[in-house]
Amino acid sequence: MTTSPLLGSHVSIAGGASNAIDRALGIGCTAMQIFVKNNMQWFAKPLEEAERLAFVDHPRRGELRSIFGHSGYMINLGAVNPEFHEKSLRALREELVRADQLELPFLVLHPGAHMGRGEEEGLKAIVQSLDTVFDAIPEVKTKVALETTAGQGSWLGTTFEQLAWIMEHVRQPGRLCICIDTAHLFAAGYDLTTEEKAAAVFADFDRLIGFRHLGAIHCNDSKGALGSRVDRHEHIGKGKIGLGGFRYLMREPRLAKIPKVLETPKGKEMKEDIENMDVLRGLMK
């Protein structure tokens, strides 16, 4: 068991992407997730070369053993509205290009919502959308990490079966991996309240998808109850999950090389992230 777990937080890129590296190292991260642009806007100006080089050539970048991106929240690959769908395709293309320029291995993406058309048609639309995006940018190496969702509204990606179906039907499955969000998983009905129950959930994941396809874990406790389909994050050990499931995540040898990042509430100084990481490290003892 490593004494330096691959652990970190989602970090702001305010003032330039390279600043995120300094912020992450300043609170003791060994892993980091960032937005590659403003997450609440469809599009951004092309990445300037000076900002790109400041990030990829940052003298301390290597101290972060894992850095990856998260896509904007407006993207919905299952959108029914043609204009909204086209914006989603363009936004994902541009964010993947941007992530690739920053040399990020994958970009976390909420798969999409079916908007009333039903699960089967929604999943087909997501697969078709991914195929279209990947075909348009064959040179991009950054993968898409499909994130588990809480199942609010008509969102898909709520079950391992849905994610497995997407991976099995895209034309280029090698360009996909998975990001598990513990709060979303719990809200979707997967019980993580004890080490034993969490182990059973991850055994199910391994059977249906495989640990080899797991790119990252979002370590978030849940304000919502088991199966509530409410996406509200809480500090580690302070929510409905408790410490049991997180103890499994921190002790399971097969997850030691999987980056685990926090998306829990925090202020500008990120003191809460320091406290949550201390709790997670303590669970390894």
Side-chain angles (χ1 to χ4, degrees), residues 38 45 54 65 69 85 91 97 127 142 158 164 216 223 227 230 253 261 281:
N38 186 316
K45 293 185 294 184
R65 308 202 310 267
H85 183 247
V97 169
V127 165
T142 300
T158 306
K223 287 183 181 290
V230 173
V261 299
R281 292 188 189 100

Side-chain angles (χ1 to χ4, degrees), residues 147-153 155 157-160 180-193 201 218 220-234 239-242 246:
E147 181 178 350
T148 56
T149 64
Q152 67 277 29
W155 278 94
T158 306
T159 68
F160 295 150
I180 286 179
D181 185 303
T182 54
H184 297 173
L185 209 59
F186 186 74
Y190 291 89
D191 195 342
L192 302 170
T193 53
V201 168
H218 289 162
N220 304 309
D221 210 327
S222 174
K223 287 183 181 290
L226 176 65
S228 65
R229 297 189 173 239
V230 173
D231 180 8
R232 293 187 66 199
H233 299 179
E234 181 58 284
K240 302 295 185 181
I241 296 176
F246 296 107

Side-chain angles (χ1 to χ4, degrees), residues 42 71-81 84-93 96 109-115 117 121-134 144 146 155-156 166 170 176:
W42 278 111
S71 67
Y73 291 134
M74 300 174 73
I75 296 172
N76 177 13
L77 297 187
V80 175
N81 181 289
F84 195 94
H85 183 247
E86 183 52 42
K87 283 185 175 180
S88 295
L89 295 181
R90 177 188 162 190
L92 182 56
R93 285 197 309 269
L96 282 169
L109 171 74
H110 300 168
H114 64 69
M115 308 302 292
R117 74 172 78 184
E121 291 305 311
L123 290 172
K124 288 179 181 178
I126 291 170
V127 165
Q128 186 177 31
S129 296
L130 287 168
D131 286 341
T132 299
V133 168
F134 289 150
V144 167
L146 299 172
W155 278 94
L156 298 167
I166 294 171
V170 292
L176 291 177

Side-chain angles (χ1 to χ4, degrees), residues 46-65:
L47 186 65
E48 294 185 2
E49 182 66 1
E51 182 178 358
R52 187 190 76 83
L53 290 175
F55 185 82
V56 299
D57 291 339
H58 192 290
R60 299 186 64 193
R61 174 171 174 155
E63 294 178 44
L64 291 169
R65 308 202 310 267

